[in-house]
Structures are given as C-alpha cells and as structure tokens.
C-alpha cells in the first residue's frame, strides 16, 4: 500500500511570505503528526491531529498552524516566514494517536526561506 | 548569538561487525520507545520498537535493549552492512497527560558509517 505522501518535495519562499504544506497519510491511518528537522535543533514535534482535531502540540510560535480534513489528509501552514524556518518538514501517520502506535514518516518537504 | 549545530555522535564500523548505538532519555513517563533510521534525503524509517514492560526485543538483525533503571536504550545491529549507513534516532512517547500525551520526542541521532 502507498506510504505517506508529502507535497511539494521542495519549496523556496521569501521572508514574510506564507506557505502551506500537504500530507496524505497511509490509507486507514487517522493520526497525522508534523515535525521540523534542522541541523541545529534536530527533530522537533510541531503538532498532531486526529479526527480533524489537534490533539497535542509542541513549542512553536502561533505562526505555525495546521488542520486535518475528514479524509485524514493534513496541511500545515507557516505565516510570515523567517529565515530560521528553513528546514525539512516531516509528516508522520499512525493508526491512532497516543502511546503505542507505530508512526510512519513521509520523505518530507524541504523548505528554504531566502 | 551564533547558532551552533548539533554535533552528532558518530560510529564507524567495518562491514560484518556488530554495531551498538546508545540513547539516554530523561522522561520517566515514557512508556514506548522506537528506533528510526534516516538515510540522506529521506524521512525516518521505523526499525524496531519496545514497550516499557519489556527489556529486550529482537527483530531481523536488530535488537533493542531497554534499561529503565538508568533510562538507557540501545540498538544492536548484527553483521552490519554498508546499507546500514545512516543516522539513527531513538524516540520515546510520553504517556503523561495533557498536550504531551502521545508526542514523539527524538534524540539527537547517531551517524553510523559502515566501511566495506
């Protein structure tokens, strides 16, 4: 079966712009989590959605937001982009949320802010 | 001030050797632990997991050991191959309440290089 699909794979944006990234989870998976990966900070949790509701979130500013649709697809949005937002954004899907469920990652979206 | 990147631990081994990658965690509320492998240009790939009620779990060529007393996790790879070269992350899931529940927290990663 198809894995986690993230689009686009690469993006270049200018400071101050906003960006929307998309994630399609594995069929049947209802939980989608988002992570930011940078050389300086490693992998950091952004937020998790399950059944169209945000279930938990990390320590990121309000410029980072997300949503989940009824088909479990998720989008994340970053407004007023800063140079420091340049990173690999990873999406992971799992059957359910919470402890004990295996998460599968997509290949990520590489965002470059110039 | 100037930002400093993470200095990832590195492990270099010869093909055929066994590899041991270590990870320490601090959250006593963690009850589920996972090892991921990340190759260049790809997302993390699940390798093996273990729950806190176990201290050892084996997969194909991999074994995970969990020592809850000292909050230490290790990944052992038997007969390491060049294709095992990647960055390896441990991650744990908190079972604490509130908005931390179910959140995956990753370690900094270890770079494994396997020489033919």
């Amino acid at each position: 079966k198809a894995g986690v699909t993230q689009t686009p794979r690469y993006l270049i944006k200018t400071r101050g712009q906003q960006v929307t990234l998309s994630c399609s989870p594995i069929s049947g998976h209802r939980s989608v989590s988002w992570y930011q990966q940078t050389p300086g900070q490693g992998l950091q949790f952004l937020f998790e959605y399950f059944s169209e509701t945000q279930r938990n979130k990390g320590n990121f500013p309000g410029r980072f937001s997300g949503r989940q649709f009824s088909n479990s697809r998720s989008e994340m949005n970053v407004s007023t982009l800063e140079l420091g937002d340049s990173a690999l954004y990873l999406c992971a899907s799992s059957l359910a949320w919470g402890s004990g469920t295996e998460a599968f990652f997509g290949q990520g979206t590489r965002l470059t802010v110039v | 001030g100037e930002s400093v990147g993470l200095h990832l631990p590195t492990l270099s081994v010869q093909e055929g050797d066994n590899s041991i990658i270590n990870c320490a965690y601090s959250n006593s509320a963690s009850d589920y632990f996972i090892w991921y492998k990340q190759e260049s240009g790809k997302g993390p790939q699940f390798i093996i997991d273990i729950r806190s009620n176990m201290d050892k779990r084996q997969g194909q060529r991999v074994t995970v050991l969990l020592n809850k007393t000292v909050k230490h996790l290790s990944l052992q790879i038997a007969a390491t191959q060049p294709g095992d070269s990647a960055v390896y992350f441990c991650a744990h899931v908190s079972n604490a309440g509130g908005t931390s529940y179910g959140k995956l927290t990753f370690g900094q990663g270890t770079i494994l290089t396997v020489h033919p």
Side-chain angles (χ1 to χ4, degrees), chain A residues 4-21:
Chain A
V4 179
T5 303
Q6 291 188 247
T7 57
R9 288 292 311 277
Y10 303 94
L11 263 180
I12 299 176
K13 290 285 189 177
T14 305
R15 269 183 302 174
Q17 287 187 310
Q18 67 97 26
V19 67
T20 299
L21 313 181

Side-chain angles (χ1 to χ4, degrees), chain A:
Chain A
K1 62 183 176 184
V4 179
T5 303
Q6 291 188 247
T7 57
R9 288 292 311 277
Y10 303 94
L11 263 180
I12 299 176
K13 290 285 189 177
T14 305
R15 269 183 302 174
Q17 287 187 310
Q18 67 97 26
V19 67
T20 299
L21 313 181
S22 178
C23 173
S24 293
I26 292 172
S27 177
H29 283 196
R30 297 173 62 193
S31 171
V32 173
S33 301
W34 288 90
Y35 295 82
Q36 182 196 64
Q37 187 174 28
T38 61
Q41 300 296 324
L43 270 156
Q44 292 188 291
F45 173 78
L46 281 156
F47 28 64
E48 178 179 12
Y49 287 86
F50 179 79
S51 293
E52 302 177 64
T53 302
Q54 187 181 91
R55 299 292 174 161
N56 46 37
K57 66 189 298 292
N59 298 319
F60 278 81
R63 300 185 297 107
F64 292 81
S65 63
R67 59 178 176 168
Q68 186 180 35
F69 302 95
S70 58
N71 61 357
S72 295
R73 190 178 71 85
S74 177
E75 290 180 347
M76 68 161 281
N77 184 278
V78 188
S79 62
T80 321
L81 283 164
E82 301 176 0
L83 295 179
D85 297 333
S86 295
L88 180 66
Y89 289 88
L90 291 159
C91 160
S93 82
S94 54
L95 280 169
W97 76 289
S99 182
T101 58
E102 190 177 309
F104 294 88
F105 283 82
Q107 299 215 74
T109 294
R110 173 73 63 184
L111 172 66
T112 302
V113 182
V114 298

Side-chain angles (χ1 to χ4, degrees), chain B residues 13-112:
Chain B
V13 301
Q14 291 296 128
E15 182 177 3
D17 287 351
N18 295 332
S19 302
I20 299 177
I21 300 171
N22 297 301
C23 178
Y25 65 96
S26 57
N27 187 350
S28 299
S30 297
D31 70 347
Y32 178 55
F33 302 85
I34 312 164
W35 279 99
Y36 286 94
K37 170 187 179 183
Q38 187 174 25
E39 296 173 283
S40 181
K42 297 184 178 180
Q45 176 187 0
F46 174 93
I47 302 173
I48 192 168
D49 60 357
I50 188 168
R51 295 181 186 276
S52 59
N53 61 353
M54 303 170 68
D55 53 23
K56 180 179 180 179
R57 192 168 185 216
Q58 289 185 292
Q60 186 177 14
R61 283 201 306 120
V62 294
T63 300
V64 55
L65 299 178
L66 175 62
N67 186 329
K68 294 181 288 295
T69 303
V70 297
K71 298 188 181 67
H72 183 267
L73 191 69
S74 69
L75 176 70
Q76 300 177 2
I77 305 174
T80 317
Q81 302 167 1
D84 294 328
S85 294
V87 180
Y88 288 81
F89 294 94
C90 67
H92 58 97
V93 179
S94 170
N95 64 357
T99 58
S100 293
Y101 184 76
K103 183 181 83 171
L104 264 177
T105 300
F106 283 85
Q108 63 180 12
T110 295
I111 301 172
L112 173 65

